[in-house]
Amino acid sequence: MAMTPEGRERPLVKQEPGGGDLALINAVCPGITVTGPAPEDTADGHGFDDMWGPVGTMVRGYSGDPEIRFRAAAGGGLTGLATFLLESGRVERIAHVTADPDRPMRSRATVSSTPAEVLAASGSRYGPAAPLVDFMALLEDGKSFAFVGKPCDVDAIRALEQRDPRVAALCKVKLALVCGGASELSKSGNILARHGVAEDEVTLFRYRGYGNPGATRIETRDGRAFQYTYNEMWDDESAWQLQFRCKICPDPIGEHADIAVLDCWPGGGPTGEDAGFNAFVTRTAAGDAVFSAAVDAGAIIVTDAVTERELDDYQPHQVRKKRALHWRLKAMADAGALTPRFERLRIESFAAPEGSEVAARNRDGMADRIAQGKTSEPEARRELHA
Ligand SMILES: Cc1cc2nc3c(=O)[nH]c(=O)nc-3n(C[C@H](O)[C@H](O)[C@H](O)COP(=O)(O)OP(=O)(O)OC[C@H]3O[C@@H](n4cnc5c(N)ncnc54)[C@H](O)[C@@H]3O)c2cc1C
């Protein structure tokens, strides 16, 4: 994987993939295809919501460990669950991402086998992150593990699971954060530029956590520190600098996860700092079993139940994206652009009605992007940053 000059992490083709590898990549890559969970496979007692897909237990809560709750991105739900999975012996390792120790603005895949390592990798990493780079090696190692990552990462794992029996045997639990999209690294780089800091001077780049949401904090070798509030970073959606695939994401809500974990600020954003809360949505019978055991063990504290319509209120940008998606994809197809194959994700049934302002804005906006060349990668890659 290499970082492009635009600040996107992309696979660098060293040699033509052989032995069926390309067919496998095409079958599992969530940039090419995502097929949602089948409503008829919904676990006993679960519902199926047009917006949220398979839903079982839907509650708010937080990690029972105060240090996890403070240091993690929100309420420490993911770190609390991952720690419980390790400590209860359900899995031997956790595959997720962490700050690159040498270049902490960047993220890299990591495998944690102790609670301390899981905690060290807590927090949201808002730039590019490729947690699956070593996934095949994990399957070859033969040790059990749980995966924590973005919905697209979990979609790829589920697609591979249908083709490789080692996935179900070893990757026993899949946890997803609900995701508004991955920014280009240049979003982070622009902050350094604002302060005249070079990337090799940075010793800490924490995107959030140490509070909920906590500040984006940068520290340098010579003792300088810069902080931005969450709203300074993310209030203006047009400045998120999202990668293109995220703008047409058919599953930002972790439909294929065993448990999806999200922020739960009413109205969609924080009005200040709080003690740290998550909403949790179990999606499979395996997710139900892990979640109730974690609650029984005190690893997760539940405060109250939530409904699908409260989830809409916590995540208004996800509802907007779901209504827009059909029109964005249609503009791509109409322009003859390569379009991904997204199935069973209620993209048509949830779409804003034809003739509506939302439909027109999203169709026309995508047509403009295509005309400006913003929907494809530059072909020349000679200046790749290692
Ligand atoms: C790019 C991005 C966009 C997000 N958008 C939304 C959103 O729209 N709505 C919402 O509710 N929440 C969003 N989140 C998630 C939110 O920030 C919290 O992470 C989530 O609520 C879980 O909180 P927590 O306290 O349980 O996480 P923690 O306990 O801190 O655990 C976070 C876990 O996620 C892993 N992780 C962090 N960043 C990445 C990454 N980039 N790729 C893969 N794995 C990662 C870490 O390794 C860690 O295991 C986003 C996170 C990211 C990284």
Side-chain angles (χ1 to χ4, degrees), residues 290-328:
V290 167
F291 192 72
S292 64
V295 171
D296 288 348
I300 298 294
I301 310 290
V302 169
T303 53
D304 51 356
V306 297
T307 65
E308 293 91 333
R309 304 292 71 83
E310 283 171 301
L311 297 178
D312 294 348
D313 182 44
Y314 302 152
Q315 304 285 320
H317 55 296
Q318 307 293 10
V319 179
R320 282 198 297 274
K321 186 181 280 183
K322 191 122 191 131
R323 285 166 58 76
L325 190 53
H326 167 76
W327 300 106
R328 294 179 183 177

Side-chain angles (χ1 to χ4, degrees), residues 73-74 76-79 96-97 123-125 150 178 180 208 263 315 317:
L78 288 169
T79 300
H96 53 160
V97 302
S124 289
R125 308 284 313 163
K150 298 181 293 298
V178 162
R208 62 183 273 191
D263 290 322
Q315 304 285 320
H317 55 296

Side-chain angles (χ1 to χ4, degrees), residues 68 71-80 96-98 118 121-129 131 148-150 153 177-183 208 261-264 278 315 317-318:
I68 293 178
R71 283 177 55 177
L78 288 169
T79 300
H96 53 160
V97 302
T98 191
V118 177
S122 67
S124 289
R125 308 284 313 163
Y126 281 115
V148 185
K150 298 181 293 298
D153 302 321
L177 47 91
V178 162
C179 182
S183 305
R208 62 183 273 191
V261 180
L262 53 140
D263 290 322
C264 51
N278 289 112
Q315 304 285 320
H317 55 296
Q318 307 293 10

Side-chain angles (χ1 to χ4, degrees), residues 49-261:
D49 184 66
D50 211 22
M51 170 64 208
W52 288 93
V55 289
T57 301
M58 288 183 288
V59 292
R60 287 194 318 151
Y62 52 86
S63 163
D65 178 329
E67 195 185 357
I68 293 178
R69 187 181 187 191
F70 175 68
R71 283 177 55 177
L78 288 169
T79 300
L81 287 167
T83 304
F84 168 73
L85 289 167
L86 270 187
E87 287 182 331
S88 63
R90 284 172 167 75
V91 299
E92 292 163 272
R93 308 191 288 186
I94 307 295
H96 53 160
V97 302
T98 191
D100 183 329
D102 300 323
R103 293 187 289 186
M105 184 170 81
R106 304 182 188 215
S107 305
R108 65 169 172 81
T110 191
V111 179
S112 297
S113 40
T114 66
E117 288 169 352
V118 177
L119 180 59
S122 67
S124 289
R125 308 284 313 163
Y126 281 115
L132 301 180
V133 278
D134 300 323
F135 197 79
M136 299 314 260
L138 283 175
L139 296 183
E140 272 144 37
D141 277 358
K143 290 187 182 161
S144 64
F145 63 99
F147 176 80
V148 185
K150 298 181 293 298
C152 55
D153 302 321
V154 174
D155 291 338
I157 294 173
R158 285 292 186 199
L160 185 63
E161 191 172 54
Q162 290 177 10
R163 293 162 178 86
D164 188 331
R166 295 175 302 174
V167 177
L170 297 174
C171 183
K172 291 181 180 295
V173 184
K174 292 111 178 142
L175 303 177
L177 47 91
V178 162
C179 182
S183 305
E184 294 164 347
L185 190 67
S186 39
K187 163 111 182 144
S188 313
N190 290 346
I191 298 175
L192 297 191
R194 207 177 293 163
H195 297 283
V197 172
E199 193 184 349
D200 62 8
E201 295 179 83
V202 174
T203 52
L204 174 86
F205 203 120
R206 187 168 62 228
Y207 287 84
R208 62 183 273 191
Y210 286 67
N212 185 38
T216 297
R217 183 174 171 87
I218 297 146
E219 293 175 3
T220 64
R221 250 173 252 296
D222 60 5
R224 283 174 291 163
F226 310 98
Q227 280 202 180
Y228 289 85
T229 66
Y230 178 91
N231 284 339
E232 283 168 339
M233 291 289 292
W234 305 111
D235 212 18
D236 176 8
E237 197 169 333
S238 67
W240 287 4
Q241 283 183 239
L242 294 188
Q243 302 185 54
F244 176 65
R245 163 60 172 72
C246 305
K247 293 181 189 287
I248 54 166
C249 185
D251 174 27
I253 57 174
E255 295 199 28
H256 270 306
D258 292 307
I259 306 173
V261 180

